[in-house]
Amino acid sequence: MRPHLPAALVDAAYDGVGRPALFRIGGGDPEVAHETTLDWLTWWGRTPARRAILELAFGSRGRPVDVAGIRFEGPVGLAAGMDKDARALMAWSRLGFSHVEFGTVTGRPQPGNPKPRMFRLRDSRGVINRMGFNNAGAEAIAARLELAGVRRGNLAAGMPVGVSIGKTKVVALEDAVEDYLSSVRHLVHLVDYLAINVSSPNTPGLRSLQGADELSALVHALVDEAAVQAEESSQSVLGPVPIFVKIAPDLEWSAIDEALAVCEAAGASGVIATNTTLGRNGLAPADVARGPKRVACPAPR
């Protein structure tokens, strides 16, 4: 294990310097701070020397974990939503993450919901997220991964790479399967796993795809496509790319049981728990009082 800065020092530096600075960027606009952070990390990831500095400071990962045939060098990875378009691709492993999940990406590029669409919950140390799958599209992220030399299993990014795929907003629900398949075909030979996002609250109607019939049709189609692509590619020795399903935290237990049964029967490799919640449980009273009335804040991961 490489030497790295003590966690207490990192926490103190963030609380004392980093967090106040980020909160001032863009006049306090959290989305501007988010984009600026990605710009910084993209810069740090561009050269071997800069990446080495990041790794020296933050490169501890911990105990390895094996899931669905994928070796993760630690239990903590970066979830989808932070780096939708893989802009800081080469930086994340140097920050100590064991894997990264880009996206959520859609079959077509889309701008996402109107701004403002991200809000801070200061006392709760959380955010309200209403981004709406703003991304450059599956073809664009595939091109970025290709350019960086990322291929399934080669760890060119320093760790396994996953991508969360979702439905394009303008695509009708009855055409959702083909929209997801478009993303699979662009990405299947590049990534170590794909996550089916049917649980974001920020795309109208998307959560209806968690119904048993809809979810079964979708997962079957994507798992079958992954198998076909594996047979036709030079990576056939690796087998089909693992397909995970990302579910909402707001489902009733009976619906969770049903979703798990459907995923298992359809051949999914696993379930990601969980996506973003619609609830306010656990928020500080001050954030509930001053926050927007319709909230979608990240559930604990």
Side-chain angles (χ1 to χ4, degrees), residues 92-130:
W92 296 116
S93 71
R94 277 72 184 185
L95 294 176
F97 293 110
S98 66
H99 67 282
V100 61
E101 187 174 306
F102 298 118
T104 291
V105 302
T106 50
R108 307 180 197 176
Q110 62 183 26
N113 292 327
K115 299 179 181 180
R117 56 194 181 183
M118 184 186 294
F119 309 89
R120 288 193 177 100
L121 301 170
R122 289 174 178 261
D123 291 359
S124 304
R125 299 178 75 90
V127 295
I128 296 169
N129 159 31
R130 296 180 184 163

PDB file of all heavy atoms in Angstrom, residues 92-130:
ATOM      1  N   TRP A  92      -9.737   9.515 -10.903  1.00  0.00           N
ATOM      2  CA  TRP A  92     -10.504   8.937  -9.806  1.00  0.00           C
ATOM      3  C   TRP A  92      -9.775   7.830  -9.075  1.00  0.00           C
ATOM      4  O   TRP A  92      -9.834   7.745  -7.837  1.00  0.00           O
ATOM      5  CB  TRP A  92     -11.858   8.435 -10.319  1.00  0.00           C
ATOM      6  CG  TRP A  92     -12.724   9.538 -10.826  1.00  0.00           C
ATOM      7  CD1 TRP A  92     -13.172   9.712 -12.111  1.00  0.00           C
ATOM      8  CD2 TRP A  92     -13.239  10.642 -10.084  1.00  0.00           C
ATOM      9  NE1 TRP A  92     -13.925  10.857 -12.210  1.00  0.00           N
ATOM     10  CE2 TRP A  92     -13.979  11.450 -10.981  1.00  0.00           C
ATOM     11  CE3 TRP A  92     -13.129  11.054  -8.755  1.00  0.00           C
ATOM     12  CZ2 TRP A  92     -14.622  12.622 -10.583  1.00  0.00           C
ATOM     13  CZ3 TRP A  92     -13.757  12.224  -8.348  1.00  0.00           C
ATOM     14  CH2 TRP A  92     -14.501  12.994  -9.262  1.00  0.00           C
ATOM     15  N   SER A  93      -9.054   6.978  -9.772  1.00  0.00           N
ATOM     16  CA  SER A  93      -8.360   5.894  -9.068  1.00  0.00           C
ATOM     17  C   SER A  93      -7.258   6.441  -8.177  1.00  0.00           C
ATOM     18  O   SER A  93      -6.904   5.821  -7.165  1.00  0.00           O
ATOM     19  CB  SER A  93      -7.775   4.887 -10.058  1.00  0.00           C
ATOM     20  OG  SER A  93      -6.680   5.423 -10.760  1.00  0.00           O
ATOM     21  N   ARG A  94      -6.720   7.603  -8.529  1.00  0.00           N
ATOM     22  CA  ARG A  94      -5.642   8.198  -7.744  1.00  0.00           C
ATOM     23  C   ARG A  94      -6.158   8.853  -6.467  1.00  0.00           C
ATOM     24  O   ARG A  94      -5.383   9.213  -5.591  1.00  0.00           O
ATOM     25  CB  ARG A  94      -4.891   9.232  -8.581  1.00  0.00           C
ATOM     26  CG  ARG A  94      -3.829   8.627  -9.487  1.00  0.00           C
ATOM     27  CD  ARG A  94      -4.426   7.865 -10.647  1.00  0.00           C
ATOM     28  NE  ARG A  94      -3.415   7.209 -11.472  1.00  0.00           N
ATOM     29  CZ  ARG A  94      -3.685   6.563 -12.596  1.00  0.00           C
ATOM     30  NH1 ARG A  94      -4.938   6.485 -13.034  1.00  0.00           N
ATOM     31  NH2 ARG A  94      -2.728   5.982 -13.278  1.00  0.00           N
ATOM     32  N   LEU A  95      -7.464   8.988  -6.353  1.00  0.00           N
ATOM     33  CA  LEU A  95      -8.066   9.535  -5.140  1.00  0.00           C
ATOM     34  C   LEU A  95      -8.463   8.444  -4.156  1.00  0.00           C
ATOM     35  O   LEU A  95      -9.087   8.712  -3.136  1.00  0.00           O
ATOM     36  CB  LEU A  95      -9.287  10.382  -5.493  1.00  0.00           C
ATOM     37  CG  LEU A  95      -9.008  11.658  -6.286  1.00  0.00           C
ATOM     38  CD1 LEU A  95     -10.307  12.347  -6.648  1.00  0.00           C
ATOM     39  CD2 LEU A  95      -8.116  12.602  -5.505  1.00  0.00           C
ATOM     40  N   GLY A  96      -8.118   7.199  -4.464  1.00  0.00           N
ATOM     41  CA  GLY A  96      -8.374   6.112  -3.542  1.00  0.00           C
ATOM     42  C   GLY A  96      -9.614   5.297  -3.840  1.00  0.00           C
ATOM     43  O   GLY A  96      -9.906   4.339  -3.114  1.00  0.00           O
ATOM     44  N   PHE A  97     -10.376   5.652  -4.880  1.00  0.00           N
ATOM     45  CA  PHE A  97     -11.556   4.865  -5.225  1.00  0.00           C
ATOM     46  C   PHE A  97     -11.140   3.549  -5.867  1.00  0.00           C
ATOM     47  O   PHE A  97     -10.152   3.485  -6.602  1.00  0.00           O
ATOM     48  CB  PHE A  97     -12.459   5.643  -6.178  1.00  0.00           C
ATOM     49  CG  PHE A  97     -13.086   6.857  -5.564  1.00  0.00           C
ATOM     50  CD1 PHE A  97     -12.701   8.134  -5.954  1.00  0.00           C
ATOM     51  CD2 PHE A  97     -14.063   6.729  -4.587  1.00  0.00           C
ATOM     52  CE1 PHE A  97     -13.282   9.253  -5.386  1.00  0.00           C
ATOM     53  CE2 PHE A  97     -14.649   7.851  -4.016  1.00  0.00           C
ATOM     54  CZ  PHE A  97     -14.257   9.111  -4.415  1.00  0.00           C
ATOM     55  N   SER A  98     -11.938   2.509  -5.626  1.00  0.00           N
ATOM     56  CA  SER A  98     -11.634   1.196  -6.197  1.00  0.00           C
ATOM     57  C   SER A  98     -12.298   0.980  -7.541  1.00  0.00           C
ATOM     58  O   SER A  98     -11.956   0.049  -8.269  1.00  0.00           O
ATOM     59  CB  SER A  98     -12.084   0.094  -5.244  1.00  0.00           C
ATOM     60  OG  SER A  98     -13.502   0.082  -5.122  1.00  0.00           O
ATOM     61  N   HIS A  99     -13.282   1.801  -7.870  1.00  0.00           N
ATOM     62  CA  HIS A  99     -13.920   1.773  -9.180  1.00  0.00           C
ATOM     63  C   HIS A  99     -14.684   3.075  -9.354  1.00  0.00           C
ATOM     64  O   HIS A  99     -14.865   3.847  -8.401  1.00  0.00           O
ATOM     65  CB  HIS A  99     -14.872   0.580  -9.328  1.00  0.00           C
ATOM     66  CG  HIS A  99     -16.075   0.637  -8.443  1.00  0.00           C
ATOM     67  ND1 HIS A  99     -16.031   0.333  -7.103  1.00  0.00           N
ATOM     68  CD2 HIS A  99     -17.372   0.972  -8.688  1.00  0.00           C
ATOM     69  CE1 HIS A  99     -17.240   0.471  -6.573  1.00  0.00           C
ATOM     70  NE2 HIS A  99     -18.070   0.858  -7.521  1.00  0.00           N
ATOM     71  N   VAL A 100     -15.103   3.330 -10.579  1.00  0.00           N
ATOM     72  CA  VAL A 100     -15.882   4.527 -10.866  1.00  0.00           C
ATOM     73  C   VAL A 100     -17.039   4.136 -11.762  1.00  0.00           C
ATOM     74  O   VAL A 100     -16.906   3.271 -12.634  1.00  0.00           O
ATOM     75  CB  VAL A 100     -15.023   5.619 -11.543  1.00  0.00           C
ATOM     76  CG1 VAL A 100     -14.446   5.140 -12.876  1.00  0.00           C
ATOM     77  CG2 VAL A 100     -15.815   6.910 -11.750  1.00  0.00           C
ATOM     78  N   GLU A 101     -18.188   4.756 -11.510  1.00  0.00           N
ATOM     79  CA  GLU A 101     -19.361   4.547 -12.350  1.00  0.00           C
ATOM     80  C   GLU A 101     -19.732   5.885 -12.974  1.00  0.00           C
ATOM     81  O   GLU A 101     -20.142   6.806 -12.273  1.00  0.00           O
ATOM     82  CB  GLU A 101     -20.536   4.005 -11.527  1.00  0.00           C
ATOM     83  CG  GLU A 101     -21.736   3.606 -12.371  1.00  0.00           C
ATOM     84  CD  GLU A 101     -22.816   2.950 -11.526  1.00  0.00           C
ATOM     85  OE1 GLU A 101     -22.507   1.978 -10.811  1.00  0.00           O
ATOM     86  OE2 GLU A 101     -23.975   3.419 -11.583  1.00  0.00           O
ATOM     87  N   PHE A 102     -19.531   6.000 -14.279  1.00  0.00           N
ATOM     88  CA  PHE A 102     -19.861   7.231 -14.985  1.00  0.00           C
ATOM     89  C   PHE A 102     -21.350   7.238 -15.328  1.00  0.00           C
ATOM     90  O   PHE A 102     -22.041   6.244 -15.237  1.00  0.00           O
ATOM     91  CB  PHE A 102     -19.003   7.369 -16.239  1.00  0.00           C
ATOM     92  CG  PHE A 102     -17.526   7.463 -15.944  1.00  0.00           C
ATOM     93  CD1 PHE A 102     -16.638   6.513 -16.410  1.00  0.00           C
ATOM     94  CD2 PHE A 102     -17.031   8.500 -15.173  1.00  0.00           C
ATOM     95  CE1 PHE A 102     -15.286   6.589 -16.132  1.00  0.00           C
ATOM     96  CE2 PHE A 102     -15.677   8.595 -14.878  1.00  0.00           C
ATOM     97  CZ  PHE A 102     -14.800   7.630 -15.370  1.00  0.00           C
ATOM     98  N   GLY A 103     -21.821   8.398 -15.785  1.00  0.00           N
ATOM     99  CA  GLY A 103     -23.236   8.521 -16.106  1.00  0.00           C
ATOM    100  C   GLY A 103     -24.013   9.159 -14.966  1.00  0.00           C
ATOM    101  O   GLY A 103     -23.419   9.689 -14.026  1.00  0.00           O
ATOM    102  N   THR A 104     -25.308   9.086 -15.033  1.00  0.00           N
ATOM    103  CA  THR A 104     -26.087   8.280 -15.967  1.00  0.00           C
ATOM    104  C   THR A 104     -26.054   8.911 -17.364  1.00  0.00           C
ATOM    105  O   THR A 104     -26.249  10.114 -17.515  1.00  0.00           O
ATOM    106  CB  THR A 104     -27.531   8.132 -15.476  1.00  0.00           C
ATOM    107  OG1 THR A 104     -27.538   7.314 -14.308  1.00  0.00           O
ATOM    108  CG2 THR A 104     -28.445   7.517 -16.509  1.00  0.00           C
ATOM    109  N   VAL A 105     -25.811   8.045 -18.374  1.00  0.00           N
ATOM    110  CA  VAL A 105     -25.830   8.482 -19.755  1.00  0.00           C
ATOM    111  C   VAL A 105     -27.077   7.924 -20.428  1.00  0.00           C
ATOM    112  O   VAL A 105     -27.645   6.922 -20.001  1.00  0.00           O
ATOM    113  CB  VAL A 105     -24.569   8.061 -20.526  1.00  0.00           C
ATOM    114  CG1 VAL A 105     -23.329   8.610 -19.869  1.00  0.00           C
ATOM    115  CG2 VAL A 105     -24.472   6.555 -20.664  1.00  0.00           C
ATOM    116  N   THR A 106     -27.484   8.591 -21.481  1.00  0.00           N
ATOM    117  CA  THR A 106     -28.685   8.218 -22.212  1.00  0.00           C
ATOM    118  C   THR A 106     -28.352   7.922 -23.672  1.00  0.00           C
ATOM    119  O   THR A 106     -27.272   8.269 -24.152  1.00  0.00           O
ATOM    120  CB  THR A 106     -29.736   9.343 -22.127  1.00  0.00           C
ATOM    121  OG1 THR A 106     -29.133  10.595 -22.466  1.00  0.00           O
ATOM    122  CG2 THR A 106     -30.293   9.445 -20.714  1.00  0.00           C
ATOM    123  N   GLY A 107     -29.300   7.292 -24.355  1.00  0.00           N
ATOM    124  CA  GLY A 107     -29.062   6.940 -25.752  1.00  0.00           C
ATOM    125  C   GLY A 107     -28.818   8.142 -26.639  1.00  0.00           C
ATOM    126  O   GLY A 107     -28.102   8.049 -27.633  1.00  0.00           O
ATOM    127  N   ARG A 108     -29.419   9.274 -26.271  1.00  0.00           N
ATOM    128  CA  ARG A 108     -29.210  10.518 -27.018  1.00  0.00           C
ATOM    129  C   ARG A 108     -28.691  11.596 -26.059  1.00  0.00           C
ATOM    130  O   ARG A 108     -29.005  11.564 -24.869  1.00  0.00           O
ATOM    131  CB  ARG A 108     -30.522  11.001 -27.622  1.00  0.00           C
ATOM    132  CG  ARG A 108     -31.268   9.981 -28.454  1.00  0.00           C
ATOM    133  CD  ARG A 108     -32.552  10.595 -28.986  1.00  0.00           C
ATOM    134  NE  ARG A 108     -33.499   9.592 -29.449  1.00  0.00           N
ATOM    135  CZ  ARG A 108     -34.724   9.870 -29.883  1.00  0.00           C
ATOM    136  NH1 ARG A 108     -35.145  11.137 -29.883  1.00  0.00           N
ATOM    137  NH2 ARG A 108     -35.532   8.902 -30.281  1.00  0.00           N
ATOM    138  N   PRO A 109     -27.925  12.562 -26.561  1.00  0.00           N
ATOM    139  CA  PRO A 109     -27.506  13.673 -25.698  1.00  0.00           C
ATOM    140  C   PRO A 109     -28.727  14.459 -25.219  1.00  0.00           C
ATOM    141  O   PRO A 109     -29.737  14.550 -25.926  1.00  0.00           O
ATOM    142  CB  PRO A 109     -26.638  14.541 -26.614  1.00  0.00           C
ATOM    143  CG  PRO A 109     -26.303  13.686 -27.788  1.00  0.00           C
ATOM    144  CD  PRO A 109     -27.420  12.698 -27.944  1.00  0.00           C
ATOM    145  N   GLN A 110     -28.635  15.007 -24.020  1.00  0.00           N
ATOM    146  CA  GLN A 110     -29.727  15.857 -23.539  1.00  0.00           C
ATOM    147  C   GLN A 110     -29.207  16.829 -22.482  1.00  0.00           C
ATOM    148  O   GLN A 110     -28.244  16.537 -21.765  1.00  0.00           O
ATOM    149  CB  GLN A 110     -30.875  15.025 -22.984  1.00  0.00           C
ATOM    150  CG  GLN A 110     -30.564  14.163 -21.787  1.00  0.00           C
ATOM    151  CD  GLN A 110     -31.768  13.321 -21.349  1.00  0.00           C
ATOM    152  OE1 GLN A 110     -32.659  12.987 -22.131  1.00  0.00           O
ATOM    153  NE2 GLN A 110     -31.803  12.985 -20.076  1.00  0.00           N
ATOM    154  N   PRO A 111     -29.829  18.018 -22.382  1.00  0.00           N
ATOM    155  CA  PRO A 111     -29.326  19.058 -21.486  1.00  0.00           C
ATOM    156  C   PRO A 111     -29.729  18.872 -20.035  1.00  0.00           C
ATOM    157  O   PRO A 111     -29.164  19.532 -19.150  1.00  0.00           O
ATOM    158  CB  PRO A 111     -29.939  20.334 -22.054  1.00  0.00           C
ATOM    159  CG  PRO A 111     -31.221  19.879 -22.680  1.00  0.00           C
ATOM    160  CD  PRO A 111     -30.926  18.522 -23.243  1.00  0.00           C
ATOM    161  N   GLY A 112     -30.699  18.028 -19.743  1.00  0.00           N
ATOM    162  CA  GLY A 112     -31.189  17.892 -18.381  1.00  0.00           C
ATOM    163  C   GLY A 112     -32.273  18.904 -18.073  1.00  0.00           C
ATOM    164  O   GLY A 112     -32.780  19.601 -18.956  1.00  0.00           O
ATOM    165  N   ASN A 113     -32.639  18.975 -16.811  1.00  0.00           N
ATOM    166  CA  ASN A 113     -33.722  19.857 -16.391  1.00  0.00           C
ATOM    167  C   ASN A 113     -33.282  21.313 -16.351  1.00  0.00           C
ATOM    168  O   ASN A 113     -32.086  21.613 -16.276  1.00  0.00           O
ATOM    169  CB  ASN A 113     -34.235  19.428 -15.007  1.00  0.00           C
ATOM    170  CG  ASN A 113     -34.938  18.088 -15.056  1.00  0.00           C
ATOM    171  OD1 ASN A 113     -35.573  17.744 -16.048  1.00  0.00           O
ATOM    172  ND2 ASN A 113     -34.820  17.314 -13.983  1.00  0.00           N
ATOM    173  N   PRO A 114     -34.235  22.253 -16.379  1.00  0.00           N
ATOM    174  CA  PRO A 114     -33.883  23.671 -16.313  1.00  0.00           C
ATOM    175  C   PRO A 114     -33.159  24.004 -15.002  1.00  0.00           C
ATOM    176  O   PRO A 114     -33.404  23.388 -13.964  1.00  0.00           O
ATOM    177  CB  PRO A 114     -35.244  24.384 -16.381  1.00  0.00           C
ATOM    178  CG  PRO A 114     -36.175  23.386 -16.990  1.00  0.00           C
ATOM    179  CD  PRO A 114     -35.688  22.046 -16.541  1.00  0.00           C
ATOM    180  N   LYS A 115     -32.272  24.983 -15.070  1.00  0.00           N
ATOM    181  CA  LYS A 115     -31.567  25.453 -13.868  1.00  0.00           C
ATOM    182  C   LYS A 115     -32.407  26.521 -13.162  1.00  0.00           C
ATOM    183  O   LYS A 115     -33.178  27.204 -13.813  1.00  0.00           O
ATOM    184  CB  LYS A 115     -30.200  26.018 -14.254  1.00  0.00           C
ATOM    185  CG  LYS A 115     -29.291  25.003 -14.915  1.00  0.00           C
ATOM    186  CD  LYS A 115     -27.963  25.648 -15.291  1.00  0.00           C
ATOM    187  CE  LYS A 115     -27.043  24.645 -15.988  1.00  0.00           C
ATOM    188  NZ  LYS A 115     -25.755  25.242 -16.361  1.00  0.00           N
ATOM    189  N   PRO A 116     -32.217  26.663 -11.839  1.00  0.00           N
ATOM    190  CA  PRO A 116     -31.360  25.883 -10.930  1.00  0.00           C
ATOM    191  C   PRO A 116     -31.948  24.504 -10.671  1.00  0.00           C
ATOM    192  O   PRO A 116     -33.160  24.336 -10.613  1.00  0.00           O
ATOM    193  CB  PRO A 116     -31.342  26.726  -9.659  1.00  0.00           C
ATOM    194  CG  PRO A 116     -32.646  27.456  -9.674  1.00  0.00           C
ATOM    195  CD  PRO A 116     -32.940  27.745 -11.117  1.00  0.00           C
ATOM    196  N   ARG A 117     -31.054  23.520 -10.492  1.00  0.00           N
ATOM    197  CA  ARG A 117     -31.489  22.133 -10.351  1.00  0.00           C
ATOM    198  C   ARG A 117     -30.643  21.361  -9.333  1.00  0.00           C
ATOM    199  O   ARG A 117     -30.763  20.153  -9.205  1.00  0.00           O
ATOM    200  CB  ARG A 117     -31.420  21.450 -11.721  1.00  0.00           C
ATOM    201  CG  ARG A 117     -30.042  21.530 -12.371  1.00  0.00           C
ATOM    202  CD  ARG A 117     -30.093  21.172 -13.820  1.00  0.00           C
ATOM    203  NE  ARG A 117     -28.770  21.219 -14.431  1.00  0.00           N
ATOM    204  CZ  ARG A 117     -28.522  21.003 -15.719  1.00  0.00           C
ATOM    205  NH1 ARG A 117     -29.534  20.734 -16.532  1.00  0.00           N
ATOM    206  NH2 ARG A 117     -27.299  21.059 -16.202  1.00  0.00           N
ATOM    207  N   MET A 118     -29.792  22.079  -8.621  1.00  0.00           N
ATOM    208  CA  MET A 118     -29.037  21.493  -7.520  1.00  0.00           C
ATOM    209  C   MET A 118     -29.026  22.499  -6.371  1.00  0.00           C
ATOM    210  O   MET A 118     -28.805  23.689  -6.594  1.00  0.00           O
ATOM    211  CB  MET A 118     -27.603  21.165  -7.940  1.00  0.00           C
ATOM    212  CG  MET A 118     -26.793  20.448  -6.849  1.00  0.00           C
ATOM    213  SD  MET A 118     -25.052  20.212  -7.296  1.00  0.00           S
ATOM    214  CE  MET A 118     -25.205  19.067  -8.669  1.00  0.00           C
ATOM    215  N   PHE A 119     -29.308  22.011  -5.168  1.00  0.00           N
ATOM    216  CA  PHE A 119     -29.434  22.895  -4.017  1.00  0.00           C
ATOM    217  C   PHE A 119     -28.735  22.264  -2.819  1.00  0.00           C
ATOM    218  O   PHE A 119     -28.817  21.057  -2.605  1.00  0.00           O
ATOM    219  CB  PHE A 119     -30.914  23.125  -3.679  1.00  0.00           C
ATOM    220  CG  PHE A 119     -31.742  23.549  -4.860  1.00  0.00           C
ATOM    221  CD1 PHE A 119     -32.352  22.595  -5.663  1.00  0.00           C
ATOM    222  CD2 PHE A 119     -31.901  24.889  -5.179  1.00  0.00           C
ATOM    223  CE1 PHE A 119     -33.111  22.972  -6.762  1.00  0.00           C
ATOM    224  CE2 PHE A 119     -32.654  25.270  -6.280  1.00  0.00           C
ATOM    225  CZ  PHE A 119     -33.265  24.312  -7.073  1.00  0.00           C
ATOM    226  N   ARG A 120     -28.076  23.097  -2.032  1.00  0.00           N
ATOM    227  CA  ARG A 120     -27.378  22.594  -0.848  1.00  0.00           C
ATOM    228  C   ARG A 120     -28.317  22.497   0.351  1.00  0.00           C
ATOM    229  O   ARG A 120     -29.165  23.361   0.557  1.00  0.00           O
ATOM    230  CB  ARG A 120     -26.218  23.507  -0.480  1.00  0.00           C
ATOM    231  CG  ARG A 120     -25.039  23.430  -1.436  1.00  0.00           C
ATOM    232  CD  ARG A 120     -23.817  24.119  -0.841  1.00  0.00           C
ATOM    233  NE  ARG A 120     -22.671  23.984  -1.731  1.00  0.00           N
ATOM    234  CZ  ARG A 120     -22.254  24.937  -2.566  1.00  0.00           C
ATOM    235  NH1 ARG A 120     -22.899  26.095  -2.613  1.00  0.00           N
ATOM    236  NH2 ARG A 120     -21.212  24.728  -3.336  1.00  0.00           N
ATOM    237  N   LEU A 121     -28.119  21.435   1.111  1.00  0.00           N
ATOM    238  CA  LEU A 121     -28.746  21.285   2.419  1.00  0.00           C
ATOM    239  C   LEU A 121     -27.609  21.389   3.432  1.00  0.00           C
ATOM    240  O   LEU A 121     -27.010  20.403   3.840  1.00  0.00           O
ATOM    241  CB  LEU A 121     -29.464  19.936   2.518  1.00  0.00           C
ATOM    242  CG  LEU A 121     -30.556  19.704   1.471  1.00  0.00           C
ATOM    243  CD1 LEU A 121     -31.034  18.260   1.499  1.00  0.00           C
ATOM    244  CD2 LEU A 121     -31.721  20.651   1.693  1.00  0.00           C
ATOM    245  N   ARG A 122     -27.287  22.603   3.800  1.00  0.00           N
ATOM    246  CA  ARG A 122     -26.045  22.870   4.539  1.00  0.00           C
ATOM    247  C   ARG A 122     -25.981  22.146   5.872  1.00  0.00           C
ATOM    248  O   ARG A 122     -24.972  21.525   6.206  1.00  0.00           O
ATOM    249  CB  ARG A 122     -25.882  24.377   4.753  1.00  0.00           C
ATOM    250  CG  ARG A 122     -25.558  25.135   3.468  1.00  0.00           C
ATOM    251  CD  ARG A 122     -25.540  26.644   3.710  1.00  0.00           C
ATOM    252  NE  ARG A 122     -25.189  27.360   2.496  1.00  0.00           N
ATOM    253  CZ  ARG A 122     -23.968  27.829   2.222  1.00  0.00           C
ATOM    254  NH1 ARG A 122     -22.997  27.640   3.094  1.00  0.00           N
ATOM    255  NH2 ARG A 122     -23.731  28.471   1.107  1.00  0.00           N
ATOM    256  N   ASP A 123     -27.037  22.229   6.657  1.00  0.00           N
ATOM    257  CA  ASP A 123     -27.004  21.623   7.980  1.00  0.00           C
ATOM    258  C   ASP A 123     -26.990  20.102   7.913  1.00  0.00           C
ATOM    259  O   ASP A 123     -26.480  19.432   8.812  1.00  0.00           O
ATOM    260  CB  ASP A 123     -28.202  22.089   8.813  1.00  0.00           C
ATOM    261  CG  ASP A 123     -28.115  23.562   9.184  1.00  0.00           C
ATOM    262  OD1 ASP A 123     -27.115  24.209   8.800  1.00  0.00           O
ATOM    263  OD2 ASP A 123     -29.028  24.068   9.851  1.00  0.00           O
ATOM    264  N   SER A 124     -27.545  19.545   6.850  1.00  0.00           N
ATOM    265  CA  SER A 124     -27.594  18.088   6.673  1.00  0.00           C
ATOM    266  C   SER A 124     -26.388  17.559   5.910  1.00  0.00           C
ATOM    267  O   SER A 124     -26.257  16.338   5.743  1.00  0.00           O
ATOM    268  CB  SER A 124     -28.875  17.698   5.923  1.00  0.00           C
ATOM    269  OG  SER A 124     -30.010  18.178   6.573  1.00  0.00           O
ATOM    270  N   ARG A 125     -25.554  18.465   5.410  1.00  0.00           N
ATOM    271  CA  ARG A 125     -24.382  18.104   4.598  1.00  0.00           C
ATOM    272  C   ARG A 125     -24.818  17.224   3.416  1.00  0.00           C
ATOM    273  O   ARG A 125     -24.246  16.168   3.124  1.00  0.00           O
ATOM    274  CB  ARG A 125     -23.315  17.400   5.448  1.00  0.00           C
ATOM    275  CG  ARG A 125     -22.786  18.277   6.580  1.00  0.00           C
ATOM    276  CD  ARG A 125     -21.780  17.548   7.435  1.00  0.00           C
ATOM    277  NE  ARG A 125     -20.505  17.428   6.750  1.00  0.00           N
ATOM    278  CZ  ARG A 125     -19.502  18.317   6.824  1.00  0.00           C
ATOM    279  NH1 ARG A 125     -19.665  19.421   7.545  1.00  0.00           N
ATOM    280  NH2 ARG A 125     -18.374  18.124   6.199  1.00  0.00           N
ATOM    281  N   GLY A 126     -25.860  17.679   2.737  1.00  0.00           N
ATOM    282  CA  GLY A 126     -26.378  16.957   1.578  1.00  0.00           C
ATOM    283  C   GLY A 126     -26.781  17.914   0.481  1.00  0.00           C
ATOM    284  O   GLY A 126     -26.554  19.132   0.567  1.00  0.00           O
ATOM    285  N   VAL A 127     -27.363  17.371  -0.571  1.00  0.00           N
ATOM    286  CA  VAL A 127     -27.820  18.191  -1.686  1.00  0.00           C
ATOM    287  C   VAL A 127     -29.181  17.708  -2.164  1.00  0.00           C
ATOM    288  O   VAL A 127     -29.550  16.546  -1.973  1.00  0.00           O
ATOM    289  CB  VAL A 127     -26.846  18.171  -2.891  1.00  0.00           C
ATOM    290  CG1 VAL A 127     -25.518  18.791  -2.541  1.00  0.00           C
ATOM    291  CG2 VAL A 127     -26.667  16.760  -3.426  1.00  0.00           C
ATOM    292  N   ILE A 128     -29.911  18.601  -2.778  1.00  0.00           N
ATOM    293  CA  ILE A 128     -31.100  18.263  -3.554  1.00  0.00           C
ATOM    294  C   ILE A 128     -30.652  18.156  -5.005  1.00  0.00           C
ATOM    295  O   ILE A 128     -30.018  19.064  -5.545  1.00  0.00           O
ATOM    296  CB  ILE A 128     -32.184  19.346  -3.411  1.00  0.00           C
ATOM    297  CG1 ILE A 128     -32.655  19.415  -1.957  1.00  0.00           C
ATOM    298  CG2 ILE A 128     -33.354  19.071  -4.348  1.00  0.00           C
ATOM    299  CD1 ILE A 128     -33.521  20.632  -1.683  1.00  0.00           C
ATOM    300  N   ASN A 129     -30.986  17.060  -5.616  1.00  0.00           N
ATOM    301  CA  ASN A 129     -30.552  16.779  -6.985  1.00  0.00           C
ATOM    302  C   ASN A 129     -31.765  16.691  -7.893  1.00  0.00           C
ATOM    303  O   ASN A 129     -32.600  15.801  -7.736  1.00  0.00           O
ATOM    304  CB  ASN A 129     -29.769  15.460  -7.000  1.00  0.00           C
ATOM    305  CG  ASN A 129     -29.712  14.823  -8.375  1.00  0.00           C
ATOM    306  OD1 ASN A 129     -29.717  15.516  -9.391  1.00  0.00           O
ATOM    307  ND2 ASN A 129     -29.676  13.501  -8.409  1.00  0.00           N
ATOM    308  N   ARG A 130     -31.846  17.616  -8.850  1.00  0.00           N
ATOM    309  CA  ARG A 130     -32.884  17.572  -9.885  1.00  0.00           C
ATOM    310  C   ARG A 130     -32.264  17.711 -11.266  1.00  0.00           C
ATOM    311  O   ARG A 130     -32.807  18.384 -12.137  1.00  0.00           O
ATOM    312  CB  ARG A 130     -33.900  18.699  -9.646  1.00  0.00           C
ATOM    313  CG  ARG A 130     -34.666  18.555  -8.342  1.00  0.00           C
ATOM    314  CD  ARG A 130     -35.646  19.689  -8.168  1.00  0.00           C
ATOM    315  NE  ARG A 130     -36.307  19.604  -6.869  1.00  0.00           N
ATOM    316  CZ  ARG A 130     -36.964  20.608  -6.305  1.00  0.00           C
ATOM    317  NH1 ARG A 130     -37.037  21.780  -6.918  1.00  0.00           N
ATOM    318  NH2 ARG A 130     -37.542  20.454  -5.132  1.00  0.00           N
TER     319      ARG A 130
END
